């Protein structure tokens, strides 16, 4: 889902950068009330997500996927903390490892960070009263599919690749990758809560 340089048009680059910068600024403002003693958790989760994204699991046809983690972090630390964590992870991946293009940083953070942190968390909170495990899994799965669909739309609007072909491939493959995201999110959330029960007290 990491969009490289050369696929996005200038208007799409400008719009995605603007949305992402506004989202990051808002999240940073909201984090002023984040408990000081729990600030190290931001670094801990950033390192954990960064490491987890290095591990790929095979899907079909030679395609592989990896954990995104935005909804996972949002469930554990709140959506605004998740935005900051995912921004840090994706910036490091792009600037140090060339995973995604510099011109596409705005789009990539929007697709893989803001969507999962904000929309994924919103879906989780709406559904957790019914069944929390299902809410976690469905929110994580949908965040992947929505992020992939948005990436396809951005590429399509840029007229760099055939839109419907990209949309079909991105949505199709990531609907499967999202199952892995859902399973990992549920397992990791319950494992972390078992080891760090106080983490549930972190405000959203």
């Amino acid at each position: 889902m990491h969009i490289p340089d050369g696929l996005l048009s200038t208007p799409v680059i400008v719009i995605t950068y603007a949305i992402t910068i506004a989202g990051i600024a808002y999240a940073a403002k909201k984090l002023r009330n984040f408990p000081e003693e729990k600030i190290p958790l931001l670094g801990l989760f950033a390192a954990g997500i960064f490491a987890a994204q290095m591990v790929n699991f095979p899907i079909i046809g030679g395609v592989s996927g990896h954990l995104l983690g935005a909804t996972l972090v949002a469930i554990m630390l709140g959506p605004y903390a998740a935005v900051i964590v995912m921004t840090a992870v994706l910036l490091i991946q792009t600037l140090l490892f060339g995973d995604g293009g510099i011109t596409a940083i705005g789009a990539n953070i929007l697709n893989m960070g803001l969507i999962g942190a904000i929309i994924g968390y919103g879906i989780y909170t709406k559904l957790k009263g019914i069944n929390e495990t299902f809410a976690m899994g469905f929110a994580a799965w949908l965040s992947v599919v929505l992020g992939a669909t948005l990436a396809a739309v951005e590429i399509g609007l840029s007229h760099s690749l055939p839109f419907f072909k990209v949309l079909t491939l991105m949505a199709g493959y990531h609907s499967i990758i999202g199952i892995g995201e859902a399973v990992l999110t549920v397992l990791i959330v319950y494992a972390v809560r078992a080891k760090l029960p106080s983490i549930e007290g972190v405000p959203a």
Side-chain angles (χ1 to χ4, degrees):
M1 202 191 300
H2 296 263
I3 300 174
D5 287 320
L7 286 185
L8 300 181
S9 64
T10 300
V12 171
I13 291 171
V14 171
I15 292 170
T16 52
Y17 258 97
I19 293 172
T20 296
I21 290 171
I24 294 170
Y26 182 74
K29 181 179 179 181
K30 296 293 287 186
L31 272 185
R32 290 176 183 172
N33 297 324
F34 197 79
E36 185 175 345
E37 69 275 9
K38 292 181 177 177
I39 289 178
L41 289 173
L42 299 178
L44 178 65
F45 273 85
I49 293 298
F50 183 84
Q53 288 193 0
M54 295 295 186
V55 180
N56 287 274
F57 48 87
I59 308 296
I60 54 175
V63 176
S64 63
H66 63 70
L67 178 74
L68 291 183
T71 301
L72 162 63
V73 179
I75 292 169
M76 300 305 305
L77 301 180
Y80 307 117
V83 169
I84 300 305
V85 166
M86 294 305 298
T87 297
V89 169
L90 292 166
L91 281 174
I92 291 172
Q93 288 180 339
T94 300
L95 299 177
L96 297 185
F97 296 93
D99 201 355
I102 292 176
T103 59
I105 287 177
N108 286 331
I109 293 176
L110 172 61
N111 303 340
M112 294 183 281
L114 270 65
I115 292 293
I118 305 301
I119 297 180
Y121 182 78
I123 292 168
Y124 161 73
T125 57
K126 292 292 184 182
L127 296 178
K128 70 176 183 179
I130 301 172
N131 182 285
E132 188 174 21
T133 301
F134 170 77
M136 289 181 199
F138 181 71
W141 176 83
L142 190 60
S143 71
V144 172
V145 176
L146 289 177
T149 301
L150 184 56
V153 170
E154 292 157 357
I155 294 170
L157 290 174
S158 300
H159 303 293
S160 53
L161 293 171
F163 172 63
F164 287 107
K165 182 175 182 180
V166 173
L167 178 62
T168 301
L169 288 173
M170 290 288 284
Y173 280 124
H174 283 85
S175 64
I176 300 172
I177 292 172
I179 297 173
E181 180 89 9
V183 172
L184 289 172
T185 296
V186 170
L187 293 176
I188 293 171
V189 167
Y190 282 128
V192 172
R193 284 179 177 176
K195 294 292 184 181
L196 299 170
S198 63
I199 204 168
E200 293 189 70
V202 176

